[in-house]
Amino acid sequence: QARTPPIAARLPASAVAMKLAAALLVIAGLSGGAAAFEPCKAQDAFDIMMCKSHMCTDCALEWCMKACQELQEKNPECGCADWPASRKSYSGGDFKGKGKVGDVATTPGAPFER
């Protein structure tokens, strides 16, 4: 009884190479090509104070930005799991109030606005 050769043996070498290359690209795309997130020693506390806090995710006040930058300086090896791999610190990404000096009510010498 004759066995049918595997599909790879019946295809030209170029077709097999193209299928292999396509499969590798799909796998690379699914993994994002980025290194896996590695938690730091203080990750649990950092998650609470930085990654999941209103202060460091939604607050646009100058005080919040400074407090979060200080927290990052004290924990330079820490990051948030949901940050892109290219973001290495709090200041390295987009956050509320980035590029602003602060709100009018907390800026010394600024006129009060209602």
Side-chain angles (χ1 to χ4, degrees), residues 19-113:
K19 287 182 185 280
L20 179 61
L24 291 174
L25 286 173
V26 168
I27 292 169
L30 292 175
S31 69
F37 174 76
E38 292 187 33
C40 64
K41 290 181 182 178
Q43 193 66 51
D44 291 339
F46 190 81
D47 282 345
I48 292 167
M49 295 185 292
M50 174 74 74
C51 306
K52 298 175 181 160
S53 72
H54 170 77
M55 177 177 76
C56 297
T57 58
D58 291 320
C59 180
L61 300 176
E62 183 178 14
W63 179 89
C64 294
M65 289 184 281
K66 286 184 178 182
C68 296
Q69 288 168 339
E70 287 176 17
L71 176 63
Q72 183 72 70
E73 286 175 9
K74 291 177 183 175
N75 299 280
E77 71 287 353
C78 292
C80 298
D82 61 349
W83 288 354
S86 60
R87 183 176 181 181
K88 303 298 180 199
S89 70
Y90 170 77
S91 297
D94 290 330
F95 52 87
K96 294 279 185 175
K98 185 171 186 174
K100 296 181 181 178
V101 175
D103 70 355
V104 174
T106 61
T107 304
F112 181 75
E113 293 180 12

Coordinates of all heavy atoms in Angstrom, one line a residue, residues 19-113:
K19 N 5.0 29.7 3.0 CA 4.1 29.4 4.1 C 4.7 29.5 5.4 O 4.1 30.0 6.4 CB 3.5 28.0 3.8 CG 2.5 27.9 2.7 CD 2.0 26.6 2.5 CE 1.1 26.5 1.3 NZ -0.2 27.0 1.5
L20 N 6.0 29.0 5.5 CA 6.7 29.1 6.8 C 6.9 30.6 7.2 O 6.7 31.0 8.3 CB 8.0 28.4 6.7 CG 8.9 28.4 7.9 CD1 8.2 27.8 9.1 CD2 10.2 27.7 7.7
A21 N 7.3 31.4 6.2 CA 7.5 32.8 6.5 C 6.3 33.5 6.9 O 6.2 34.3 7.9 CB 8.1 33.5 5.3
A22 N 5.2 33.2 6.3 CA 3.9 33.8 6.7 C 3.5 33.3 8.1 O 3.0 34.1 8.9 CB 2.8 33.3 5.7
A23 N 3.7 32.1 8.4 CA 3.4 31.6 9.8 C 4.2 32.3 10.8 O 3.7 32.7 11.9 CB 3.6 30.1 9.8
L24 N 5.5 32.5 10.5 CA 6.3 33.2 11.5 C 5.9 34.7 11.7 O 5.9 35.2 12.8 CB 7.8 33.1 11.0 CG 8.4 31.7 11.1 CD1 9.8 31.7 10.5 CD2 8.5 31.2 12.6
L25 N 5.5 35.3 10.6 CA 5.0 36.7 10.7 C 3.7 36.8 11.5 O 3.6 37.7 12.3 CB 4.8 37.3 9.3 CG 6.0 37.6 8.5 CD1 5.6 38.1 7.1 CD2 6.8 38.7 9.2
V26 N 2.9 35.8 11.4 CA 1.6 35.8 12.2 C 2.0 35.6 13.7 O 1.4 36.3 14.5 CB 0.7 34.7 11.7 CG1 -0.5 34.4 12.7 CG2 0.1 35.0 10.3
I27 N 2.9 34.7 13.9 CA 3.3 34.4 15.3 C 3.9 35.7 15.9 O 3.6 36.1 17.0 CB 4.2 33.2 15.4 CG1 3.4 31.9 15.1 CG2 4.8 33.1 16.8 CD1 4.3 30.7 14.9
A28 N 4.8 36.3 15.2 CA 5.5 37.6 15.7 C 4.4 38.7 15.9 O 4.5 39.4 16.8 CB 6.5 38.0 14.7
G29 N 3.4 38.8 15.0 CA 2.4 39.8 15.1 C 1.5 39.6 16.4 O 1.2 40.5 17.1
L30 N 1.3 38.3 16.7 CA 0.4 38.0 17.8 C 1.2 38.3 19.1 O 0.6 38.7 20.1 CB 0.0 36.5 17.8 CG -1.0 36.1 16.7 CD1 -1.2 34.6 16.7 CD2 -2.3 36.9 16.9
S31 N 2.5 38.1 19.1 CA 3.2 38.3 20.3 C 3.6 39.8 20.5 O 4.0 40.2 21.5 CB 4.5 37.5 20.3 OG 5.4 38.0 19.4
G32 N 3.4 40.6 19.4 CA 3.7 42.0 19.5 C 5.1 42.3 19.3 O 5.6 43.4 19.3
G33 N 5.9 41.3 19.3 CA 7.4 41.5 19.1 C 8.0 42.1 20.3 O 9.2 42.5 20.3
A34 N 7.3 42.3 21.4 CA 7.8 43.0 22.6 C 8.1 42.0 23.7 O 7.6 40.9 23.8 CB 6.8 44.0 23.1
A35 N 9.0 42.4 24.5 CA 9.4 41.6 25.7 C 8.2 41.6 26.7 O 7.5 42.5 26.8 CB 10.6 42.2 26.3
A36 N 8.1 40.5 27.4 CA 7.1 40.3 28.3 C 7.3 41.2 29.5 O 8.4 41.5 29.9 CB 7.0 38.9 28.8
F37 N 6.2 41.7 30.1 CA 6.3 42.6 31.3 C 6.9 41.8 32.5 O 6.5 40.7 32.8 CB 4.9 43.1 31.7 CG 4.9 43.9 32.9 CD1 5.3 45.2 32.9 CD2 4.4 43.3 34.1 CE1 5.3 45.9 34.1 CE2 4.4 44.1 35.3 CZ 4.8 45.4 35.3
E38 N 7.9 42.5 33.1 CA 8.5 41.9 34.3 C 8.2 42.8 35.5 O 8.7 43.9 35.5 CB 10.0 41.7 34.1 CG 10.3 40.7 33.0 CD 11.8 40.4 33.0 OE1 12.5 40.5 34.0 OE2 12.3 40.1 31.9
P39 N 7.5 42.3 36.5 CA 7.2 43.1 37.7 C 8.5 43.3 38.5 O 9.4 42.5 38.5 CB 6.2 42.2 38.5 CG 6.3 40.9 38.0 CD 6.9 40.9 36.6
C40 N 8.5 44.5 39.2 CA 9.6 44.8 40.1 C 9.3 44.3 41.5 O 8.2 43.8 41.7 CB 9.8 46.4 40.1 SG 8.4 47.3 40.8
K41 N 10.2 44.5 42.4 CA 10.1 44.0 43.8 C 8.9 44.6 44.5 O 8.2 44.0 45.3 CB 11.4 44.2 44.6 CG 12.5 43.3 44.1 CD 13.7 43.5 44.9 CE 14.8 42.6 44.4 NZ 16.1 42.8 45.2
A42 N 8.7 45.9 44.2 CA 7.6 46.7 44.8 C 6.4 46.8 44.0 O 5.6 47.8 44.1 CB 8.1 48.1 45.2
Q43 N 6.1 45.9 43.0 CA 5.1 46.0 42.0 C 3.7 46.1 42.6 O 2.9 46.9 42.1 CB 5.1 44.8 41.1 CG 4.3 45.0 39.8 CD 4.8 46.1 39.0 OE1 6.0 46.1 38.6 NE2 4.0 47.1 38.6
D44 N 3.4 45.4 43.7 CA 2.0 45.5 44.3 C 1.7 46.9 44.7 O 0.7 47.5 44.4 CB 1.8 44.5 45.4 CG 1.8 43.0 44.9 OD1 1.5 42.8 43.7 OD2 2.1 42.1 45.7
A45 N 2.6 47.5 45.5 CA 2.4 48.9 46.0 C 2.5 49.9 44.8 O 1.7 50.8 44.8 CB 3.5 49.2 47.0
F46 N 3.4 49.6 43.9 CA 3.5 50.5 42.7 C 2.2 50.5 41.9 O 1.7 51.6 41.4 CB 4.7 50.1 41.8 CG 5.0 51.1 40.8 CD1 5.8 52.3 41.1 CD2 4.6 51.0 39.4 CE1 6.1 53.2 40.1 CE2 4.9 51.9 38.5 CZ 5.7 53.0 38.8
D47 N 1.6 49.3 41.7 CA 0.3 49.2 41.0 C -0.7 50.1 41.7 O -1.5 50.8 41.0 CB -0.1 47.8 40.9 CG 0.6 47.0 39.9 OD1 1.2 47.6 39.0 OD2 0.5 45.7 39.9
I48 N -0.8 50.0 43.0 CA -1.8 50.8 43.7 C -1.6 52.3 43.6 O -2.5 53.0 43.3 CB -1.9 50.3 45.2 CG1 -2.4 48.9 45.3 CG2 -2.7 51.2 46.0 CD1 -2.2 48.2 46.6
M49 N -0.4 52.7 43.8 CA -0.1 54.1 43.9 C 0.1 54.7 42.5 O -0.2 55.9 42.3 CB 1.2 54.4 44.7 CG 1.1 54.0 46.2 SD 2.5 54.4 47.2 CE 3.7 53.3 46.5
M50 N 0.5 54.0 41.5 CA 0.8 54.6 40.2 C -0.2 54.1 39.1 O -0.9 54.9 38.5 CB 2.2 54.2 39.7 CG 2.6 54.6 38.3 SD 2.8 56.4 38.1 CE 4.4 56.6 38.8
C51 N -0.2 52.8 38.9 CA -1.0 52.2 37.8 C -2.5 52.3 37.9 O -3.2 52.4 36.9 CB -0.5 50.8 37.6 SG 1.2 50.6 37.4
K52 N -3.0 52.2 39.1 CA -4.4 52.2 39.3 C -5.0 53.4 40.1 O -6.2 53.4 40.4 CB -4.8 50.9 40.0 CG -4.4 49.7 39.1 CD -4.7 48.4 39.8 CE -4.2 47.2 38.9 NZ -4.0 46.0 39.6
S53 N -4.2 54.3 40.4 CA -4.6 55.5 41.2 C -5.2 56.6 40.3 O -4.7 56.8 39.2 CB -3.5 56.0 42.0 OG -2.5 56.7 41.2
H54 N -6.1 57.3 40.8 CA -6.6 58.5 40.1 C -5.5 59.5 39.9 O -5.4 60.2 38.9 CB -7.8 59.1 40.9 CG -8.2 60.5 40.4 ND1 -9.0 60.6 39.2 CD2 -7.9 61.7 40.8 CE1 -9.2 61.9 39.0 NE2 -8.6 62.6 39.9
M55 N -4.7 59.6 41.0 CA -3.6 60.6 41.0 C -2.7 60.5 39.8 O -2.4 61.5 39.2 CB -2.8 60.4 42.3 CG -1.6 61.4 42.4 SD -0.7 61.2 43.9 CE 0.2 59.7 43.6
C56 N -2.4 59.3 39.4 CA -1.4 59.1 38.3 C -2.0 58.7 37.0 O -1.3 58.5 36.0 CB -0.4 58.1 38.7 SG 0.6 58.6 40.1
T57 N -3.3 58.5 36.9 CA -4.0 58.1 35.7 C -4.9 59.2 35.1 O -5.1 59.3 33.9 CB -4.7 56.8 35.8 OG1 -5.7 56.9 36.8 CG2 -3.8 55.7 36.1
D58 N -5.7 59.9 36.0 CA -6.7 60.8 35.6 C -6.5 62.3 36.0 O -7.1 63.2 35.5 CB -8.1 60.3 36.0 CG -8.5 59.1 35.2 OD1 -8.2 59.0 34.0 OD2 -9.1 58.2 35.8
C59 N -5.7 62.5 37.1 CA -5.6 63.8 37.6 C -4.7 64.7 36.8 O -3.6 64.3 36.3 CB -5.0 63.7 39.0 SG -4.7 65.3 39.9
A60 N -5.1 65.9 36.5 CA -4.4 66.8 35.6 C -3.7 67.9 36.4 O -3.2 68.9 35.8 CB -5.3 67.4 34.5
L61 N -3.8 67.9 37.7 CA -3.2 68.9 38.6 C -1.7 68.8 38.6 O -1.2 67.7 38.6 CB -3.8 68.9 40.0 CG -5.3 69.1 40.1 CD1 -5.7 68.9 41.6 CD2 -5.7 70.4 39.6
E62 N -1.0 69.9 38.8 CA 0.4 69.9 38.9 C 0.9 69.0 40.0 O 1.9 68.3 39.9 CB 1.0 71.3 39.0 CG 2.5 71.4 39.0 CD 3.0 72.9 39.1 OE1 2.2 73.8 39.4 OE2 4.2 73.1 38.9
W63 N 0.2 69.1 41.2 CA 0.6 68.4 42.3 C 0.6 66.9 42.0 O 1.5 66.2 42.4 CB -0.4 68.6 43.5 CG -0.1 67.9 44.7 CD1 0.8 68.3 45.7 CD2 -0.5 66.6 45.0 NE1 0.8 67.3 46.7 CE2 0.1 66.2 46.3 CE3 -1.4 65.7 44.4 CZ2 -0.2 65.0 46.9 CZ3 -1.6 64.4 45.1 CH2 -1.0 64.1 46.3
C64 N -0.4 66.4 41.3 CA -0.5 65.0 40.9 C 0.7 64.6 40.1 O 1.3 63.5 40.3 CB -1.8 64.7 40.2 SG -3.3 64.9 41.2
M65 N 1.0 65.4 39.1 CA 2.1 65.1 38.2 C 3.4 65.0 38.9 O 4.2 64.0 38.7 CB 2.2 66.1 37.0 CG 1.1 66.0 36.0 SD 1.2 67.1 34.7 CE 0.7 68.6 35.4
K66 N 3.7 65.9 39.8 CA 4.9 65.9 40.6 C 5.0 64.7 41.5 O 6.0 64.1 41.6 CB 5.0 67.2 41.4 CG 5.4 68.4 40.5 CD 5.6 69.7 41.3 CE 6.0 70.8 40.4 NZ 6.3 72.0 41.1
A67 N 3.9 64.4 42.2 CA 3.8 63.3 43.1 C 4.1 62.0 42.3 O 4.8 61.1 42.8 CB 2.5 63.2 43.8
C68 N 3.5 61.8 41.2 CA 3.8 60.6 40.4 C 5.2 60.5 39.9 O 5.8 59.4 39.8 CB 2.7 60.5 39.3 SG 1.0 60.4 39.9
Q69 N 5.7 61.7 39.5 CA 7.1 61.7 39.0 C 8.1 61.3 40.2 O 9.0 60.6 40.0 CB 7.5 63.0 38.4 CG 6.8 63.2 37.1 CD 6.9 64.7 36.6 OE1 7.1 65.6 37.4 NE2 6.7 64.9 35.3
E70 N 7.8 61.8 41.4 CA 8.6 61.4 42.6 C 8.5 59.9 42.9 O 9.4 59.3 43.2 CB 8.2 62.3 43.8 CG 8.6 63.7 43.7 CD 8.1 64.6 44.9 OE1 7.6 64.0 45.9 OE2 8.1 65.8 44.7
L71 N 7.2 59.4 42.8 CA 7.0 58.0 43.0 C 7.9 57.2 42.0 O 8.5 56.2 42.4 CB 5.5 57.6 42.9 CG 5.2 56.2 43.0 CD1 5.5 55.6 44.4 CD2 3.7 56.0 42.7
Q72 N 7.9 57.6 40.8 CA 8.7 56.9 39.7 C 10.2 57.0 40.0 O 10.9 56.0 39.9 CB 8.4 57.4 38.3 CG 9.1 56.7 37.2 CD 8.5 55.3 37.0 OE1 7.4 55.2 36.5 NE2 9.3 54.3 37.3
E73 N 10.6 58.2 40.5 CA 12.0 58.3 40.8 C 12.4 57.4 42.0 O 13.6 56.9 42.0 CB 12.3 59.8 41.2 CG 12.3 60.7 40.1 CD 12.5 62.2 40.5 OE1 12.8 62.5 41.7 OE2 12.3 63.1 39.6
K74 N 11.5 57.2 42.9 CA 11.8 56.3 44.0 C 11.8 54.8 43.6 O 12.3 53.9 44.3 CB 10.8 56.5 45.2 CG 11.0 57.8 45.9 CD 10.0 58.0 46.9 CE 10.1 59.4 47.5 NZ 9.1 59.7 48.5
N75 N 11.1 54.5 42.5 CA 11.0 53.1 42.0 C 11.3 53.1 40.5 O 10.5 52.8 39.6 CB 9.5 52.7 42.2 CG 9.1 52.7 43.6 OD1 9.4 51.7 44.3 ND2 8.4 53.7 44.0
P76 N 12.6 53.4 40.1 CA 12.9 53.5 38.7 C 12.8 52.2 37.9 O 12.6 52.2 36.7 CB 14.4 54.0 38.7 CG 14.9 53.6 40.1 CD 13.7 53.6 41.0
E77 N 12.8 51.1 38.6 CA 12.8 49.8 38.0 C 11.3 49.3 37.7 O 11.1 48.3 37.1 CB 13.5 48.7 38.8 CG 12.8 48.3 40.1 CD 12.9 49.3 41.2 OE1 13.6 50.3 41.1 OE2 12.3 49.1 42.2
C78 N 10.3 50.1 38.3 CA 8.9 49.7 38.2 C 8.2 50.4 37.0 O 8.6 51.5 36.6 CB 8.2 50.1 39.5 SG 8.7 49.1 40.9
G79 N 7.2 49.7 36.5 CA 6.4 50.2 35.4 C 5.0 49.5 35.6 O 4.8 48.7 36.5
C80 N 4.1 49.9 34.7 CA 2.8 49.4 34.8 C 2.6 48.4 33.6 O 3.1 48.6 32.5 CB 1.7 50.5 34.6 SG 1.8 51.7 36.0
A81 N 1.9 47.3 33.9 CA 1.7 46.2 32.9 C 1.0 46.7 31.7 O 1.3 46.2 30.6 CB 1.0 45.0 33.6
D82 N 0.2 47.7 31.8 CA -0.6 48.2 30.6 C 0.2 49.3 29.8 O -0.3 49.8 28.8 CB -2.0 48.6 31.0 CG -2.0 49.8 32.0 OD1 -0.9 50.1 32.5 OD2 -3.1 50.3 32.2
W83 N 1.4 49.7 30.3 CA 2.2 50.6 29.5 C 2.7 49.9 28.3 O 3.1 48.7 28.4 CB 3.3 51.2 30.3 CG 2.9 52.1 31.4 CD1 1.7 52.6 31.7 CD2 3.8 52.7 32.4 NE1 1.8 53.5 32.8 CE2 3.0 53.5 33.2 CE3 5.2 52.5 32.7 CZ2 3.6 54.2 34.3 CZ3 5.7 53.2 33.7 CH2 4.9 54.1 34.5
P84 N 2.8 50.6 27.1 CA 3.5 50.0 26.0 C 5.0 49.7 26.3 O 5.6 50.4 27.2 CB 3.4 51.1 24.9 CG 2.9 52.3 25.5 CD 2.4 52.0 26.9
A85 N 5.6 48.8 25.7 CA 7.0 48.4 26.0 C 7.9 49.6 25.8 O 9.0 49.7 26.4 CB 7.4 47.3 25.1
S86 N 7.6 50.6 24.9 CA 8.4 51.7 24.7 C 8.4 52.7 25.8 O 9.3 53.6 26.0 CB 8.0 52.4 23.4 OG 6.6 52.9 23.5
R87 N 7.4 52.6 26.7 CA 7.3 53.6 27.8 C 8.0 53.0 29.0 O 7.7 52.0 29.6 CB 5.8 53.8 28.2 CG 5.6 54.8 29.3 CD 4.2 55.0 29.6 NE 4.0 56.0 30.6 CZ 2.8 56.4 31.1 NH1 1.7 55.9 30.6 NH2 2.7 57.3 32.0
K88 N 9.1 53.7 29.4 CA 9.9 53.2 30.5 C 9.6 53.9 31.9 O 10.2 53.5 32.9 CB 11.4 53.4 30.2 CG 11.8 52.8 28.9 CD 11.7 51.3 29.0 CE 12.1 50.6 27.7 NZ 11.6 49.3 27.5
S89 N 8.8 55.0 31.9 CA 8.5 55.7 33.1 C 7.2 56.5 33.0 O 6.7 56.6 31.9 CB 9.7 56.7 33.4 OG 9.6 57.8 32.5
Y90 N 6.8 57.0 34.1 CA 5.5 57.8 34.2 C 5.6 59.0 33.2 O 4.7 59.2 32.4 CB 5.3 58.3 35.6 CG 4.2 59.3 35.7 CD1 2.9 58.9 35.7 CD2 4.5 60.7 35.8 CE1 1.8 59.9 35.8 CE2 3.5 61.6 35.9 CZ 2.2 61.2 35.9 OH 1.2 62.1 36.0
S91 N 6.7 59.7 33.2 CA 6.9 60.9 32.4 C 7.1 60.5 30.9 O 7.0 61.4 30.1 CB 8.1 61.7 32.9 OG 7.8 62.2 34.2
G92 N 7.4 59.3 30.6 CA 7.7 58.9 29.3 C 6.5 58.6 28.4 O 6.6 58.3 27.3
G93 N 5.3 58.7 29.0 CA 4.1 58.4 28.3 C 3.1 59.6 28.3 O 3.4 60.7 28.8
D94 N 1.9 59.3 27.8 CA 0.9 60.3 27.9 C 0.1 60.2 29.1 O -0.3 59.1 29.5 CB -0.1 60.2 26.7 CG 0.6 60.5 25.4 OD1 1.5 61.4 25.4 OD2 0.2 59.9 24.3
F95 N -0.1 61.3 29.8 CA -0.9 61.3 31.1 C -1.7 62.6 31.1 O -1.3 63.5 30.4 CB 0.0 61.1 32.3 CG 1.1 62.0 32.4 CD1 1.0 63.3 33.0 CD2 2.4 61.7 31.9 CE1 2.1 64.1 33.1 CE2 3.4 62.5 32.0 CZ 3.3 63.8 32.6
K96 N -2.7 62.6 31.9 CA -3.6 63.8 32.0 C -2.7 65.0 32.4 O -1.9 64.9 33.3 CB -4.7 63.6 33.1 CG -5.7 62.6 32.7 CD -6.7 63.1 31.8 CE -7.8 62.1 31.5 NZ -8.9 62.6 30.7
G97 N -2.8 66.1 31.8 CA -2.1 67.3 32.1 C -0.7 67.4 31.6 O 0.0 68.4 31.9
K98 N -0.3 66.4 30.8 CA 1.1 66.5 30.3 C 1.2 67.7 29.4 O 0.4 68.0 28.6 CB 1.4 65.2 29.5 CG 2.9 65.2 29.1 CD 3.3 63.9 28.5 CE 4.8 63.9 28.2 NZ 5.2 62.6 27.7
G99 N 2.3 68.5 29.7 CA 2.5 69.7 28.9 C 1.9 70.9 29.5 O 2.1 72.0 29.0
K100 N 1.1 70.8 30.6 CA 0.5 71.9 31.2 C 1.3 72.3 32.5 O 2.0 71.5 33.1 CB -0.9 71.6 31.7 CG -1.9 71.3 30.5 CD -3.2 71.0 31.1 CE -4.2 70.6 29.9 NZ -5.5 70.3 30.5
V101 N 1.2 73.5 32.9 CA 1.9 74.0 34.0 C 1.2 73.6 35.3 O 1.8 73.3 36.3 CB 2.1 75.5 34.0 CG1 2.8 76.0 35.3 CG2 3.0 75.9 32.8
G102 N -0.1 73.5 35.2 CA -0.9 73.2 36.4 C -2.3 73.9 36.2 O -2.5 74.7 35.3
D103 N -3.2 73.6 37.1 CA -4.5 74.3 37.0 C -4.4 75.7 37.6 O -3.5 76.0 38.3 CB -5.6 73.5 37.6 CG -5.6 73.4 39.1 OD1 -4.6 73.9 39.7 OD2 -6.5 72.9 39.7
V104 N -5.3 76.6 37.2 CA -5.3 78.0 37.6 C -5.3 78.1 39.1 O -4.7 78.9 39.7 CB -6.4 78.7 36.9 CG1 -6.5 80.2 37.4 CG2 -6.2 78.7 35.4
A105 N -6.1 77.3 39.8 CA -6.3 77.4 41.2 C -5.1 77.1 42.0 O -4.9 77.6 43.1 CB -7.5 76.6 41.6
T106 N -4.2 76.3 41.5 CA -3.0 75.9 42.2 C -1.7 76.6 41.8 O -0.7 76.4 42.3 CB -2.8 74.4 42.1 OG1 -2.6 74.0 40.8 CG2 -3.9 73.6 42.7
T107 N -1.8 77.4 40.8 CA -0.6 78.1 40.3 C -0.5 79.4 41.0 O -1.3 80.3 40.9 CB -0.7 78.4 38.8 OG1 -0.9 77.1 38.1 CG2 0.5 79.0 38.2
P108 N 0.6 79.6 41.8 CA 0.8 80.9 42.5 C 0.9 82.1 41.6 O 1.5 82.0 40.6 CB 2.1 80.6 43.3 CG 2.4 79.2 43.2 CD 1.7 78.7 42.0
G109 N 0.2 83.1 42.0 CA 0.2 84.3 41.2 C -0.8 84.4 40.1 O -0.9 85.4 39.4
A110 N -1.4 83.3 39.8 CA -2.4 83.3 38.7 C -3.7 83.8 39.2 O -4.1 83.7 40.3 CB -2.6 81.8 38.2
P111 N -4.4 84.5 38.3 CA -5.7 85.1 38.7 C -6.7 84.0 39.0 O -6.7 82.9 38.3 CB -6.1 86.0 37.5 CG -5.4 85.4 36.4 CD -4.1 84.8 36.9
F112 N -7.6 84.2 39.9 CA -8.6 83.2 40.2 C -9.7 83.3 39.2 O -10.2 84.3 38.8 CB -9.2 83.5 41.6 CG -10.3 82.5 42.0 CD1 -9.9 81.3 42.4 CD2 -11.6 82.9 42.0 CE1 -10.9 80.3 42.8 CE2 -12.6 81.9 42.3 CZ -12.2 80.7 42.8
E113 N -10.1 82.1 38.6 CA -11.2 82.1 37.6 C -12.3 81.2 38.1 O -12.1 80.2 38.8 CB -10.6 81.5 36.3 CG -9.6 82.4 35.6 CD -9.2 81.7 34.3 OE1 -9.8 80.7 33.9 OE2 -8.2 82.2 33.8

